[in-house]
Amino acid sequence: MSLATRVKPVRLQIEDVHISFGSTKVLQGIDLDIEPGEFFAFLGPSGSGKSTLLRAIAGFGPRPQGRILIDNEDIISLSPWKREVGMVFQNYALWPHLTVQKNVAFGLEERKVAKAEISTRVEEALDMVGLADLADRHPSQLSGGQQQRVALARTIVIRPRLLLLDEPLSNLDANLRVQMRTDILKLQRKLGLTTIFVTHDQEEANTISDRMAVLDKGIIQQIGSPMELYDYPVNRFVAHFLGTTNMIEGEVVSVDGATVLQTQSGLKLPLDMAPDARHGAIVFRPQSVHVNPEITQTSAMNLDGTVESLEFLGSTVRYGVKVGEVTVLAEEDHQRGKPIYKKTERVQLVIPQKQVLFVTE
């Protein structure tokens, strides 16, 4: 039976998982439910706990408190080799003295699989990652992308229940990263493997994952699809981490019967909601800010300011506009011949209220 028809997507559940190194808490009460066949990402900065969580699923590192279940089976007490979990490491961890074929066959040989079956499964795995013609080469004779494919083939050849990828693209150049993440997603879809991908790169997580968990300081900050998290961040950290954002702090007050956010310097920004909290921040993306729009919008925040900076980003121009003591970032689509606002020029900014969020944390 071929690998592609053999895989049964599994469900992964993580319940109240804690890990500490000495007195340092690395993971604090992690709860997750990853669906069968889902491509899920752990996203966060260095030190957020994402790789520690991935290694806990694989069985590496200290035994956590809590439960980790694959299809309702608690695997937390099982040795790594009994979990039927495949992991691709950041540095690929290939044997330099072994050929590509031998590297891929290594896990099967350790499992005492019959030689004839090893040959068939290795050939199939190498064919799936496009390296069938490089089976006799050594890792030193391969490019970074090819070494990554060997690491993938070595992992999928053992027919794991779960595929774990620990920052697998970080050692590749920018163009190759784009190609490899596309190839990894195609392979995952073909196999139907439940897959977890660890990265600190939000673009990678956005383009490759069905859903993701954003971690910081060992705590999951938010879970959802990339678009959900980008459009509806629940706190300051998620809003800042997932792309460029405007965030203006202030006190919620009532002025002439209207609810406004008043900054420390006295700038008053209208709100179309009446938050329960007295202090918080409004959050909106630069692309939601219209500069000198031709059409007046209803239910919008209107601000007057002065251009203090501009950046040409190719498809867009990003302006920094000083409004009182606050700098608001605005991104306008760039087209040849479109007027560019110069520094010190006065402009009007319009932000639709439906694009503005209020966060307290």
Side-chain angles (χ1 to χ4, degrees):
M1 185 178 292
S2 72
L3 175 61
T5 57
R6 181 260 182 201
V7 171
K8 173 185 174 293
V10 298
R11 181 184 185 188
L12 176 72
Q13 294 166 281
I14 299 172
E15 299 178 353
D16 196 28
V17 163
H18 296 254
I19 291 181
S20 297
F21 295 124
S23 60
T24 303
K25 295 180 180 179
V26 182
L27 295 176
Q28 304 181 56
I30 300 296
D31 289 295
L32 268 177
D33 193 342
I34 298 176
E35 297 294 328
E38 192 169 24
F39 201 121
F40 199 95
F42 294 164
L43 177 67
S46 297
S48 61
K50 56 189 185 297
S51 289
T52 300
L53 179 56
L54 195 77
R55 293 175 67 85
I57 296 168
F60 303 131
R63 178 173 172 174
Q65 298 176 352
R67 299 208 305 166
I68 299 175
L69 303 99
I70 296 180
D71 279 351
N72 296 317
E73 175 195 1
D74 192 352
I75 63 170
I76 210 160
S77 62
L78 297 180
S79 302
W81 55 90
K82 292 182 179 179
R83 299 188 179 198
E84 298 182 75
V85 170
M87 185 162 176
V88 176
F89 295 92
Q90 183 176 351
N91 63 358
Y92 314 146
L94 302 178
W95 298 103
H97 62 288
L98 298 181
T99 64
V100 168
Q101 191 275 337
K102 285 292 187 180
N103 263 285
V104 177
F106 183 81
L108 298 177
E109 292 171 348
E110 289 294 301
R111 288 167 172 78
K112 309 299 182 185
V113 176
K115 288 185 178 181
E117 184 177 352
I118 289 177
S119 178
T120 300
R121 286 167 63 172
V122 168
E123 182 178 350
E124 179 190 19
L126 288 176
D127 185 61
M128 291 190 79
V129 299
L131 292 179
D133 57 341
L134 302 181
D136 295 327
R137 292 194 185 182
H138 286 78
S140 61
Q141 298 172 297
L142 304 177
S143 68
Q146 289 168 337
Q147 290 182 41
Q148 178 61 276
R149 293 172 193 272
V150 175
L152 274 170
R154 183 185 57 187
T155 303
I156 64 174
V157 79
I158 64 171
R159 297 174 177 169
R161 293 192 291 174
L162 191 66
L163 178 61
L164 309 179
L165 306 169
D166 190 7
E167 303 233 26
L169 309 181
S170 59
N171 294 331
L172 306 178
D173 63 49
N175 289 335
L176 191 52
R177 280 203 303 272
V178 173
Q179 182 59 50
M180 278 302 302
R181 73 191 185 204
T182 300
D183 293 344
I184 288 173
L185 184 58
K186 285 181 179 178
L187 181 62
Q188 188 267 345
R189 296 304 194 217
K190 183 175 182 178
L191 295 176
L193 274 172
T194 305
T195 299
I196 303 174
F197 182 93
V198 162
T199 182
H200 64 274
D201 187 320
Q202 60 152 317
E203 182 177 312
E204 285 182 3
N206 285 343
T207 56
I208 206 169
S209 63
D210 299 310
R211 289 191 303 147
M212 57 186 176
V214 178
L215 286 88
D216 184 46
K217 299 177 182 177
I219 298 171
I220 291 179
Q221 302 295 317
Q222 191 172 356
I223 301 170
S225 72
M227 194 173 293
E228 288 170 347
L229 269 58
Y230 185 86
D231 287 343
Y232 300 99
V234 296
N235 58 32
R236 292 171 175 84
F237 176 82
V238 176
H240 268 307
F241 195 74
L242 295 181
T244 305
T245 193
N246 290 292
M247 188 173 298
I248 303 176
E249 303 274 350
E251 295 289 334
V252 178
V253 298
S254 179
V255 177
D256 297 329
T259 303
V260 302
L261 184 82
Q262 181 172 293
T263 67
Q264 191 172 14
S265 68
L267 179 66
K268 296 179 178 64
L269 304 172
L271 299 175
D272 69 345
M273 76 290 280
D276 293 333
R278 288 191 56 197
H279 182 83
I282 56 171
V283 174
F284 53 95
R285 300 293 181 182
Q287 64 269 25
S288 299
V289 183
H290 305 287
V291 183
N292 286 345
E294 295 180 0
I295 301 175
T296 302
Q297 298 193 31
T298 59
S299 187
M301 185 183 301
N302 295 275
L303 307 173
D304 293 315
T306 303
V307 176
E308 64 175 0
S309 66
L310 63 91
E311 298 175 277
F312 175 57
L313 304 177
S315 60
T316 61
V317 177
R318 180 181 295 165
Y319 296 100
V321 179
K322 196 73 171 180
V323 179
E325 88 287 7
V326 174
T327 297
V328 175
L329 298 178
E331 285 187 7
E332 294 271 285
D333 291 338
H334 171 68
Q335 296 181 23
R336 185 169 55 244
K338 185 176 181 179
I340 299 295
Y341 302 107
K342 304 295 192 295
K343 290 183 181 179
T344 73
E345 189 171 349
R346 294 289 294 177
V347 294
Q348 183 186 40
L349 305 180
V350 176
I351 307 103
Q353 285 286 3
K354 65 180 181 180
Q355 300 298 330
V356 179
L357 291 177
F358 182 84
V359 297
T360 58
E361 296 182 2

